[in-house]
Amino acid sequence: MIINTGGRTDTVQYYTQWLLRRFEEGYVLTRNPLFPGRVSRYELTPDKVDCVVFCSKNYKPILSRLHEIIDSFNTYFHYTITAYGKDIEPGVPPIDESMETLAELAALVGKQRIAWRYDPVLLTKEYTIERHLETFERMAEKLAPYIDRCIFSFVEMYKKLEVNMPELIPLSAQDMDALAQGLGTVAGKYGIFLQTCGTNGDFTRYGIHSSGCMTLDILGGANGIVFKDRKHKGMRQGCHCIESRDIGAYDTCMNGCKYCYANKNPRKAFDNFKLHDPESPLLLGAVKPEDTVIQGAQKAFGKERR
């Protein structure tokens, strides 16, 4: 099975000690978001976990101890660095600091295990198409030697964005085409493999690939292994990613990104953080007497060394 540490929250940035303890103790518990009384247990051991996938906007807190995980597990790292500032991503480090941290991460794990995520791409009066392309080129020039690929997607118009981000300008088909053309041109200039993920539309004419960001080919190639081919439905519509188990929880990320889909509102994440115990097997709180704990299915994909 694939373990995902960062789909619901930025576990690496805000829950580093908890995450490392879970791997040290060899298991984790997660609540079902729809049925909170149902708790699943997953073994965090190399024989049960085919790959650990990270996604974060700040790897600095875990760098000094990352070897505790990468020495035993296949891994892959998504590092999100966008053009936005504190007005949209208040808890995220500045661009230059983030790029330096990505280079440090590459020195530890190898560029073949790192995907730079430039998403979601959105427009406001401040963040225009021109600003995106200028910032993307500055970042691409710096990051090209340290990444396996770059992944971008266009913002999805969730209903909550109408409240959390009223300044958002809806993307037209012409906007998306102009952005894709510009991003593709810059990526080609610096030799970056550029792909979309979860974004409808064919931009291959601009040298942009359409794929999942978490496929068995990507994860296997990064770790020098071959996974057996397995049919799957993807994680959501328009997605080609292999199924994974997320060990985080919604409404717990304190980055405060205005476009976030995982938080109902930024304040709730800070309130929930008060329930966090680094020694608990659950990200929030503890197992209650009325909870039902079950062993989660952990079917191996099957793999062999290249």
Side-chain angles (χ1 to χ4, degrees), residues 76-77 105-106 109-115 146-149:
Y76 197 78
F77 301 82
L105 177 64
V109 306
K111 63 173 289 184
Q112 78 280 1
R113 294 190 198 181
I114 301 177
Y146 305 110
I147 59 173
D148 171 57
R149 65 190 62 222

Side-chain angles (χ1 to χ4, degrees), residues 131-205:
R131 181 168 176 178
H132 271 292
L133 298 183
E134 289 172 3
T135 308
F136 183 77
E137 176 152 17
R138 179 168 73 87
M139 296 163 71
E141 182 179 15
K142 171 74 173 180
L143 296 178
Y146 305 110
I147 59 173
D148 171 57
R149 65 190 62 222
C150 178
I151 302 166
F152 80 95
S153 63
F154 296 116
V155 68
E156 293 191 36
M157 297 300 294
Y158 295 101
K159 280 195 177 260
K160 67 179 72 174
L161 286 186
E162 296 176 7
V163 176
N164 295 342
M165 202 171 182
E167 70 270 33
L168 196 64
I169 299 174
L171 284 160
S172 67
Q174 291 77 17
D175 292 333
M176 290 188 281
D177 190 76
L179 283 160
Q181 182 177 15
L183 296 175
T185 299
V186 171
K189 178 179 179 180
Y190 295 100
I192 295 174
F193 183 98
L194 182 64
Q195 70 170 82
T196 58
C197 186
T199 290
N200 294 322
D202 181 0
F203 301 109
T204 54
R205 59 191 176 280

Side-chain angles (χ1 to χ4, degrees), residues 21 75 84 143 178 244 247:
R21 182 176 289 276
T75 53
Y84 314 122
L143 296 178
S244 63
I247 62 175

Side-chain angles (χ1 to χ4, degrees), residues 9-16 61 91-92 252-256 273 276:
T9 189
D10 198 331
T11 314
V12 167
Q13 181 166 358
Y14 296 108
Y15 304 96
T16 303
V92 178
T252 59
C253 183
M254 293 178 288
N255 280 330
F273 185 75
H276 174 64

Side-chain angles (χ1 to χ4, degrees), residues 34-79:
L34 299 179
F35 305 97
R38 299 181 187 178
V39 178
S40 295
R41 172 177 170 136
Y42 297 107
E43 309 306 314
L44 299 181
T45 55
D47 61 316
K48 296 290 186 181
V49 176
D50 294 288
C51 189
V52 181
V53 178
F54 296 83
C55 188
S56 177
K57 295 179 179 178
N58 183 10
Y59 280 88
K60 200 73 172 180
I62 203 172
L63 289 182
S64 65
R65 295 183 59 189
L66 191 56
H67 64 90
E68 296 176 23
I69 298 176
I70 63 176
D71 287 352
S72 301
F73 292 87
N74 297 312
T75 53
Y76 197 78
F77 301 82
H78 292 266
Y79 203 139

